[in-house]
Amino acid sequence: MTEKARLNAILDREWTLLIGGRARPAASGRTQEDESPVTGEVIATVPDGDAEDVDVAVQAALPAAAAWRAVPARERGAVVAGLAGILARHADELALLDAIDGGHPVTGMHADIDIAVDTLRLFGGLAIELAGRTIPATAENLHLTVREPFGVVGRIIPFNHPVMFAAAKIAAPLVAGNAVILKPPEVAPLSALRLGELFAGALPEGLLSIVAGGPGAGRAIARHPAIRRIGFIGSDATGRAIQRAAAEVCVKDVTLELGGKNALIAMADADPEQVAESAVAGMNFVKSAGQSCGSTSRLLLHESIADDVIQRTAAHMEAIRVGSPLEPGTEMGTLATRAQYDKTMRYLAIGRDEGAGLVTGGGRPAGLESAPGLYVAPTLFRDVDSGGRLAREEVFGPVLSAMTWKTEEEAVRLANAVDFGLTAAVWTPDINRAFRVAGALEAGFVWINGSARHFTGVPFGGVKLSGIGREESLDELLSYTQLKTLNVMLG
Ligand code: NAD
């Protein structure tokens, strides 16, 4: 079958929400048109869920959660680990959906699915770690804690890793004994809706609902009084709106995985070629076109190696294969939405206006000038004004800003001089220096002589405007439980 025929086969269908274990249209009957950033064409008509759908999902989730928490933890873990096999078996279809719907390269989406498979298995296996502890507070009594689920959890996710987030982010709350209501991004909802169909038969009815829709559906999750725990991934503005909305209704436990303007610091003694390769990997041009919260979008170079590193970085960036995300050989596809494309273009203009030197990129890629897709060339600016907007604001696109410094103190000051604090990287063979600098950085996730990679089981999350909470680890699993303390009076 040709690629086009395969695409037609997976797109030629009706799309439904998954609510209470059943496929349904939105209660309001409303739909929204889903446009591909690759072709510019409408590829699907998707139910536009809202507060009513969220409420129906919650009403189904409450009894499902009550029954699910009574299932032994390791059995819950086995069910969730079992989802990994379903996901892996449908990887081709799901990766293709994300490619056409989100503009992400199909090969990269396969890698994302591998990560989600690994994550489902990780959390499935961690079920036995849902343990409390005993506290020797008195000699005569027994004081112990047990971990209980919240009940119904809301999960709201962004567009940059659609199927990976949809699959991986339901794992911890489910294993912890909760029901989950997942709201996929309105600009790339298809893979999550398909996943809902695939997972429905493997989970008790009502335990998982997928409510596609716009911000209204997200707001309804934030405001629903029976949803006491929300895990959000997206922008800081939306994260704060969710905190505000939730607080108006009741007291909720809200964790936030937000944006970043992350620094990669290269010391004078770092190897310029390794730094250049790491700078390019750290930007996540490949797979995400830079649309990644953890991207090290500020390259802070000691002045003695700056010219060399910049030259090498530009050469690697120019070698990235940009093109149709549907082609297996493509490394970088389109931006995910027209808004994201326009925003990136605005920042290219801001960089020029602020006096930064354009080293490579700066517009549409050569050969794709008039293609319908939302393509932007990997772009490197140097001598970026550290006080300017390009240096401080998250672009969430393929734009890397290089700056230089003279002293270690200056490097740390520059790195910390933004409102965000998600990731950071330090390059130096001097391990004492590496630890000293890493210790001084305001970031939740730091690489020493590395960048870009996440490691399943290792906590990921930010400080400052980058959020609260840690995911991808035991910390995430435990965050979907609340402690109950029991005091057994034996005296
Ligand atoms: P966004 O905040 O616009 O949207 C994210 C989700 O929130 C979408 O599903 C959206 O429909 C929903 N939403 C929008 N308004 C809402 C509201 N008022 N109440 C409830 N839900 C609402 O973010 P985006 O543009 O889709 O994603 C890009 C952002 O996500 C970037 O800032 C990026 O850094 C961040 N991000 C962070 C991580 C991380 O792990 N820290 C990972 C990926 C992306």
Side-chain angles (χ1 to χ4, degrees):
M1 217 192 282
T2 63
E3 200 72 345
K4 195 160 173 49
R6 279 183 64 219
L7 258 181
N8 287 340
I10 61 173
L11 290 174
D12 183 19
R13 48 158 296 168
E14 304 258 297
W15 294 94
T16 48
L17 309 177
L18 173 72
I19 296 189
R22 268 179 263 142
R24 302 182 187 214
S28 67
R30 275 202 317 271
T31 55
Q32 60 153 347
E33 296 197 324
D34 182 23
E35 204 173 281
S36 167
V38 187
T39 63
E41 291 165 359
V42 172
I43 52 168
T45 302
V46 178
D48 188 13
D50 63 14
E52 201 178 338
D53 302 286
V54 169
D55 189 52
V56 178
V58 169
Q59 299 318 323
L62 285 166
W68 181 242
R69 66 181 284 168
V71 174
R74 289 194 61 209
E75 278 180 39
R76 296 196 304 257
V79 170
V80 170
L83 301 178
I86 300 174
L87 178 60
R89 280 196 294 284
H90 292 85
D92 286 347
E93 174 191 354
L94 292 162
L96 203 53
L97 276 177
D98 273 358
I100 189 71
D101 201 12
H104 315 297
V106 68
T107 307
M109 292 303 93
H110 270 279
D112 263 13
I113 289 169
D114 290 345
I115 294 169
V117 164
D118 202 25
T119 306
L120 286 160
R121 292 189 176 135
L122 170 84
F123 284 116
L126 281 178
I128 199 67
E129 298 296 334
L130 287 163
R133 61 194 180 109
T134 56
I135 303 113
T138 62
E140 65 278 22
N141 302 313
L142 188 57
H143 309 272
L144 57 125
T145 58
V146 293
R147 293 192 172 272
E148 298 186 338
F150 284 85
V152 185
V153 163
R155 266 302 212 171
I156 303 173
I157 55 172
F159 60 75
N160 56 332
H161 297 280
V163 70
M164 181 178 96
F165 283 152
K169 300 303 174 184
I170 63 172
L174 285 177
V175 171
N178 303 282
V180 179
I181 296 175
L182 176 82
K183 194 200 91 56
E186 59 272 39
V187 295
L190 300 185
S191 57
L193 292 175
R194 179 69 182 122
L195 206 63
E197 293 171 351
L198 296 170
F199 285 178
L203 293 169
E205 203 175 284
L207 198 65
L208 173 66
S209 285
I210 315 272
V211 184
R219 276 194 291 273
I221 290 174
R223 298 192 73 87
H224 200 295
I227 301 176
R228 308 305 286 263
R229 169 82 174 88
I230 296 175
F232 172 74
I233 308 177
S235 63
D236 64 280
T238 306
R240 292 152 91 174
I242 288 172
Q243 282 183 319
R244 267 196 306 275
E248 279 172 13
V249 178
C250 60
V251 173
K252 296 197 185 199
D253 189 322
V254 180
T255 48
L256 304 172
E257 290 278 349
L258 308 175
K261 189 73 186 181
N262 311 299
L264 185 154
I265 301 177
M267 302 293 174
D269 53 4
D271 176 72
E273 178 56 22
Q274 286 185 329
V275 172
E277 286 172 16
S278 188
V280 175
M283 264 304 291
N284 301 296
F285 294 115
V286 170
K287 185 155 96 173
S288 302
Q291 301 164 113
S292 201
C293 52
S295 294
T296 38
S297 53
R298 293 182 299 145
L299 182 55
L300 307 185
L301 302 168
H302 187 265
E303 58 178 1
S304 65
I305 58 167
D307 287 344
D308 194 1
V309 172
I310 286 170
Q311 201 180 6
R312 290 168 189 269
T313 304
H316 287 299
M317 286 169 61
E318 284 159 10
I320 293 170
R321 291 191 297 275
V322 185
S324 167
L326 305 173
E327 297 294 331
T330 293
E331 292 177 311
M332 176 171 143
T334 67
L335 294 189
T337 65
R338 168 66 58 181
Q340 206 51 48
Y341 175 87
D342 291 344
K343 181 180 173 198
T344 305
M345 289 297 184
R346 269 200 309 279
Y347 275 98
L348 298 182
I350 288 169
R352 289 193 183 92
D353 291 349
E354 291 181 343
L358 182 65
V359 183
T360 186
R364 290 184 67 93
L368 292 167
E369 291 87 349
S370 53
L374 303 171
Y375 297 100
V376 179
T379 297
L380 174 60
F381 282 110
R382 63 173 299 166
D383 306 319
V384 172
D385 172 7
S386 63
R389 290 185 61 191
L390 182 61
R392 290 181 293 110
E393 297 173 11
E394 183 186 42
V395 180
F396 215 58
V399 185
L400 175 58
S401 299
M403 288 160 256
T404 56
W405 49 270
K406 290 186 172 63
T407 64
E408 186 180 303
E409 292 69 31
E410 194 187 347
V412 170
R413 203 169 47 245
L414 266 179
N416 290 341
V418 293
D419 294 331
F420 296 103
L422 187 52
T423 70
V426 187
W427 271 89
T428 174
D430 179 342
I431 199 71
N432 292 329
R433 187 175 220 201
F435 272 96
R436 189 169 64 234
V437 171
L441 292 174
E442 295 168 356
F445 193 88
V446 179
W447 296 276
I448 292 176
N449 297 329
S451 67
R453 287 183 67 192
H454 292 220
F455 308 90
T456 308
V458 176
F460 183 85
V463 299
K464 296 161 77 179
L465 267 196
S466 294
I468 40 175
R470 294 293 176 270
E471 302 204 335
E472 305 174 22
S473 58
L474 180 60
D475 305 75
E476 178 181 350
L477 179 63
L478 298 182
S479 81
Y480 284 97
T481 65
Q482 4 188 32
L483 282 184
K484 178 180 277 177
T485 305
L486 302 175
N487 297 284
V488 187
M489 301 305 165
L490 301 172

